[in-house]
Every structure is written in structure tokens, then in C-alpha cells.
């Protein structure tokens, strides 16, 4: 099969690499346009573009997916199948183009956690399992018929960054399995409505900065899950001495704190812990506004609270 691969970040590169390793015929990649990034606003290329160039694959970078020039070029490639991993929402004219359709890899157990940030919301909500799903695209986002899923058990302590890497590798293998099944015609499609009704679904909307602001009147475990779910980016935060304090890693203790929620205790050497509704959040990996990211002992050596 002639395959066009669509994706942008490093998460997508793992899948693209596995497809190449499995001998799939990737005839082109479609990825985001180059854009300025960082303090120097240097032009940055997507991870998928860099990999495509390295492997000598044709690279398309449309600004608009309905652009007639892009559609003509995509159509001329005559792909049998399109594969989408961590890209943007496709218009029907694009996803309906190949005769074998367009498949997507999603980092959740669909139909649960449809949306832009499934890895984060699974942890924020304290779920016990997650996974990856492949499905055929249709118009409504993340709603197409499911092909394959693979579950992972969560420890209750991993961060979004750590789960990202687990699902990135798990998803790459599942995608190869899916493409081979489509090629052989040995697969079944499962409508999502048969798996769970809409009323029982959790969603995974785009993350906002406001979401990361810690409400210390919440239970300790809930705050702990928020910290895990937003680490390393955009990171949960609080205010310390008038400055933003990002919290990347922490531990929690359930006990009756003797101080008000939001107050903190420290020995100025080894620990800094904030009171929650029913316990403490003990910070271990943080970054104060204007400083580098550091462990709690290094931080306390440079500041007196």
C-alpha cells in the first residue's frame, strides 16, 4: 500500500519510524509549517519534517488543509491509505481521499478521553488505566469506528511526560499491527457507541493556564494528580513570595494539617510542603519564576523562606 503519513511532534515520529522499519511504503509526510520558536525566534521544523528529510521522504507543509494547490498535490500522490498521529483536524475532502480511508492513532482508550489532551486528563482524573486506540476517521473528532486498542495499567505516580513516552512506543506498535491488518483485509470495525454511551464519557479538552493554578482547599490526592497530569508542561503552579512556583513532581501525605490550606512548612534544608484540605503536598522538583528547574534541596540552599 502507498501510505501518506500525517503528524507533527516527536510522539508521531515513533510511529512513522516503526512503519518504516516494518517495510511500509511511506510515499509522503504531511506536517505543520515551519515556525519561529524560543527566545531567539529561530525558525523551527517539526520533528516529523526532520525525520522525513533524513529518510528522503517527500514532505508537504500546507498552511491550510483546504488549499487547492495542496489538495491537488495530495491527490496526485495516489495514496491507498492515510495515517494520522498527533496532527490537526482534517477536513472531509482530505480524510476521504484514499480508497482505504484514513486511520488515526489516539492516546486513550476510546471512546473515553476524546480531545486534544488525553494523556493529561487521564492522570488529572486519577484513572487506573489508559492505552492507545486506532480508528477510522470521520467528521466528528475522535468518533470513528475503532480498529484496535491496547491497554496500559497506571501506577498512580507517573507524570504526563512519562506516560507520553509509554504510549508513544505502545502506539507505534499498535499502528503497525493496524496497517498490516488493513493491508490483508483482516480487521473488524467497532462503532464507539457500542462500547460506552455518551453520558458515561470523560473528555480531554485543550489545556489552559488557569487549569494549572492549584486550589489548596482541594484534597491532597486531587492536587497530586493535577501536578502529575500537567508535568512537565504546562505545569501546575502556586504563588510563593509573590512569584509563580511551578511544581513538576511532588508526594502527598493524607493527615490533618495544623495550618490553613495554602500555608507551608519547611526546615529550609530538606523539605517544603503545602497544606491541602486533608494533608500535605511535599514538593520535590520545582521551578521558581526567574530561576532554573531544580530539586527541593538545591532550591532551599539558595532561598530562605
Amino acid at each position: 500500500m502507498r501510505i501518506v503519513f500525517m503528524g507533527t511532534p516527536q510522539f508521531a515520529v515513533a510511529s512513522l519510524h516503526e512503519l518504516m522499519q516494518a517495510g511500509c511504503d511511506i510515499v509522503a509526510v504531511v506536517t505543520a509549517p515551519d515556525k519561529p520558536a524560543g527566545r531567539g525566534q529561530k525558525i523551527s521544523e517539526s520533528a516529523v519534517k526532520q525525520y522525513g528529510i533524513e529518510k528522503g521522504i517527500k514532505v508537504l507543509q500546507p498552511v491550510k488543509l483546504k488549499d487547492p494547490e495542496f489538495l491537488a498535490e495530495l491527490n496526485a500522490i495516489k495514496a491507498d491509505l492515510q495515517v494520522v498521529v498527533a496532527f490537526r483536524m482534517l477536513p472531509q475532502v482530505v480524510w476521504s481521499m484514499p480508497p482505504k480511508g484514513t486511520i488515526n492513532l489516539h492516546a486513550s482508550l476510546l471512546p473515553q478521553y476524546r480531545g486534544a489532551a488525553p494523556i493529561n486528563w487521564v492522570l488529572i482524573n486519577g484513572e487506573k488505566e489508559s492505552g492507545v486506540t486506532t480508528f477510522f476517521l470521520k467528521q466528528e473528532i475522535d468518533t470513528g469506528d475503532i480498529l484496535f486498542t491496547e491497554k496500559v495499567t497506571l501506577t498512580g505516580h507517573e507524570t504526563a511526560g512519562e506516560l507520553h513516552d509509554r504510549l508513544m512506543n505502545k502506539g507505534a506498535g499498535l499502528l503497525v499491527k493496524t496497517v498490516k491488518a488493513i493491508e490483508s483485509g483482516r480487521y473488524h470495525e467497532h462503532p464507539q457507541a457500542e462500547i460506552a454511551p455518551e453520558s458515561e464519557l470523560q473528555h480531554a479538552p485543550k489545556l489552559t493556564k488557569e487549569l494549572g493554578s492549584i486550589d489548596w482547599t482541594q484534597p491532597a490526592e486531587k492536587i497530586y494528580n493535577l501536578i502529575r497530569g500537567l508535568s512537565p508542561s504546562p505545569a501546575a503552579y502556586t504563588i510563593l513570595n509573590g512569584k509563580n512556583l511551578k511544581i513538576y513532581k511532588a508526594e502527598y501525605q493524607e493527615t490533618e494539617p495544623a495550618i490553613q490550606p495554602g500555608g507551608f512548612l519547611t526546615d529550609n534544608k530538606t523539605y517544603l510542603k503545602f497544606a491541602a484540605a486533608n494533608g500535605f503536598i511535599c514538593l520535590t522538583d520545582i521551578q521558581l519564576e526567574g530561576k532554573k528547574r531544580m530539586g527541593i534541596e538545591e532550591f532551599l540552599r539558595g532561598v530562605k523562606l
Side-chain angles (χ1 to χ4, degrees):
M1 290 190 303
R2 291 171 61 80
I3 297 170
V4 167
F5 184 92
M6 301 182 177
T8 296
Q10 194 62 41
F11 189 93
V13 172
S15 290
L16 178 55
H17 178 71
E18 285 300 309
L19 290 170
M20 296 279 289
Q21 291 292 102
C24 297
D25 185 15
I26 309 295
V27 293
V29 297
V30 180
T31 191
D34 300 345
K35 61 181 181 182
R39 287 184 182 174
Q41 291 292 283
K42 273 183 69 177
I43 296 300
S44 171
E45 299 175 337
S46 79
V48 165
K49 178 183 179 180
Q50 291 172 13
Y51 184 88
I53 290 171
E54 180 190 322
K55 298 297 181 183
I57 307 169
K58 180 183 181 72
V59 177
L60 303 179
Q61 294 179 275
V63 175
K64 294 183 178 177
L65 295 175
K66 290 184 178 178
D67 179 83
E69 196 174 315
F70 164 66
L71 292 175
E73 193 171 9
L74 187 62
N75 195 44
I77 291 170
K78 303 228 175 297
D80 298 299
L81 177 72
Q82 290 174 161
V83 174
V84 180
V85 183
F87 196 47
R88 46 188 152 148
M89 189 171 176
L90 300 184
Q92 184 170 351
V93 67
V94 173
W95 61 256
S96 63
M97 194 177 285
K100 290 187 182 292
T102 298
I103 60 170
N104 186 213
L105 171 68
H106 189 71
S108 83
L109 297 173
L110 288 174
Q112 297 293 351
Y113 293 99
R114 294 174 183 155
I119 294 172
N120 308 90
W121 283 102
V122 160
L123 299 185
I124 291 168
N125 290 339
E127 299 286 5
K128 299 292 187 281
E129 68 176 12
S130 183
V132 284
T133 304
T134 52
F135 65 99
F136 277 115
L137 279 190
K138 69 178 195 181
Q139 194 56 42
E140 294 79 20
I141 194 162
D142 298 337
T143 60
D145 291 350
I146 288 172
L147 291 160
F148 298 99
T149 61
E150 196 159 336
K151 295 180 179 180
V152 300
T153 301
L154 301 178
T155 64
H157 301 291
E158 58 270 276
T159 64
E162 292 160 352
L163 181 56
H164 169 281
D165 292 351
R166 281 181 74 192
L167 296 183
M168 177 176 71
N169 296 321
K170 185 78 73 176
L174 188 69
L175 196 55
V176 171
K177 174 182 175 180
T178 304
V179 168
K180 295 294 186 185
I182 291 171
E183 196 162 30
S184 68
R186 294 177 189 156
Y187 65 89
H188 297 285
E189 298 176 45
H190 307 279
Q192 293 191 29
E194 292 179 1
I195 299 168
E198 289 285 333
S199 60
E200 294 178 7
L201 298 187
Q202 296 277 11
H203 294 279
K206 191 174 178 180
L207 302 175
T208 63
K209 188 182 179 195
E210 294 72 33
L211 177 67
S213 179
I214 296 173
D215 175 2
W216 294 107
T217 65
Q218 295 290 318
E221 185 176 10
K222 188 170 182 180
I223 296 171
Y224 175 69
N225 288 338
L226 179 71
I227 291 167
R228 294 192 301 122
L230 297 181
S231 177
S233 180
Y237 63 92
T238 191
I239 303 297
L240 181 66
N241 291 347
K243 292 186 175 180
N244 261 23
L245 180 72
K246 289 184 176 179
I247 305 172
Y248 297 104
K249 287 190 178 180
E251 297 167 354
Y252 76 97
Q253 303 168 338
E254 288 188 345
T255 181
E256 283 302 319
I259 58 175
Q260 289 296 310
F264 65 84
L265 300 174
T266 181
D267 63 355
N268 282 306
K269 291 178 182 177
T270 59
Y271 72 84
L272 171 60
K273 57 185 185 180
F274 281 80
N278 64 340
F280 287 99
I281 298 292
C282 308
L283 312 191
T284 59
D285 186 355
I286 59 176
Q287 183 176 14
L288 188 64
E289 186 180 333
K291 304 278 189 181
K292 67 174 186 176
R293 177 175 170 175
M294 60 186 84
I296 194 63
E297 291 188 16
E298 182 184 359
F299 172 76
L300 289 173
R301 279 200 296 271
V303 64
K304 286 289 178 281
L305 300 173

